Amino acid sequence: MAGGSLIKTVRVERSFSAWDLCLSLVLKNNLPLSGNWTLVEHLEHANTERTLEDHEIVMKVYKSWGGNSGNKLCLVNDEKKWQFLEHPEIFFSEKLLDRVRGASRDQIEEVLTQEYFSDKAPPIEGYLHFKDLKHSWTRKYFLLRSSGLYYSTKTKSKAPQDLTCLTTLQDVSIYFC
């Protein structure tokens, strides 16, 4: 558990979702009930972490780690858990912000639905630190498109000739924080 750094080994039913495990741990440890509890997956080999979605099956996540990975799950009371749904406009790109300036809450929700919950990839782009083949970290401008994840070989260029495909989006898990 974050903050308290208490380590617990618990039995997890095969069908437990992340929320089921959160609730079980909260009740077992007499913690205050709240919808903000979440599980954070710490991936040791990638030196990163991500928040599990409430519906994710915990055993499926655990089995994806492989043996002796050093990975762990932490119970965290995350006050920002619902921020994307409560204030979606803070996640909009500049292009989307221009479309919703002065719009009503209903219009903003309509744009959110069209742009982020359709069949196409959401318009996500920005700088990321990328570990290259020489094992050094470099800052690159990335774009997420329906066909894959690309980075620009020139500063912020979106021109096709300046983009390099890092990966296609078939059977790939991408964690966006």
Side-chain angles (χ1 to χ4, degrees):
M1 291 188 308
S5 298
L6 180 64
I7 298 173
K8 294 266 183 172
T9 302
V10 294
R11 179 185 165 108
V12 177
E13 297 296 326
R14 197 176 307 209
S15 62
F16 262 24
S17 67
W19 178 246
D20 293 332
L21 183 54
C22 285
L23 189 57
S24 175
L25 288 167
V26 165
L27 294 173
K28 185 174 186 172
N29 292 288
N30 297 317
L31 298 169
L33 270 175
S34 160
N36 294 333
W37 290 106
T38 189
L39 290 178
V40 175
E41 176 184 25
H42 292 268
L43 302 168
E44 186 146 321
H45 72 285
N47 195 25
T48 190
E49 60 184 40
R50 75 171 182 102
T51 301
L52 269 66
E53 295 181 27
D54 286 347
H55 63 86
E56 285 187 78
I57 302 300
V58 175
M59 290 306 294
K60 185 175 179 184
V61 172
Y62 176 76
K63 287 179 181 179
S64 72
W65 293 349
N68 299 325
S69 67
N71 297 342
K72 60 185 173 185
L73 293 172
C74 294
L75 179 67
V76 176
N77 191 354
D78 185 359
E79 296 295 325
K80 296 180 181 181
K81 180 177 180 179
W82 303 105
Q83 191 175 32
F84 183 75
L85 296 175
E86 292 169 351
H87 303 286
E89 61 278 2
I90 66 175
F91 297 93
F92 283 1
S93 66
E94 286 299 319
K95 183 175 92 175
L96 284 179
L97 282 174
D98 290 341
R99 282 181 51 196
V100 299
R101 273 192 180 54
S104 70
R105 184 75 182 167
D106 288 341
Q107 290 169 321
I108 290 172
E109 288 177 5
E110 179 64 28
V111 169
L112 173 70
T113 302
Q114 289 173 358
E115 294 294 329
Y116 288 92
F117 297 107
S118 66
D119 289 339
K120 62 180 182 165
I124 298 173
E125 59 188 65
Y127 285 100
L128 294 172
H129 285 89
F130 172 68
K131 197 171 194 178
D132 60 23
L133 295 174
K134 298 174 189 169
H135 302 291
S136 62
W137 291 95
T138 56
R139 188 172 184 248
K140 300 241 184 231
Y141 193 77
F142 279 81
L143 295 99
L144 179 62
R145 295 189 170 168
S146 299
S147 58
L149 181 63
Y150 297 84
Y151 64 89
S152 179
T153 55
K154 298 194 175 160
T155 308
K156 274 179 104 172
S157 176
K158 298 177 190 176
Q161 66 270 20
D162 298 330
L163 297 178
T164 301
C165 182
L166 180 65
T167 185
T168 59
L169 298 180
Q170 297 173 341
D171 300 322
V172 174
S173 296
I174 294 179
Y175 308 116
F176 178 69
C177 305

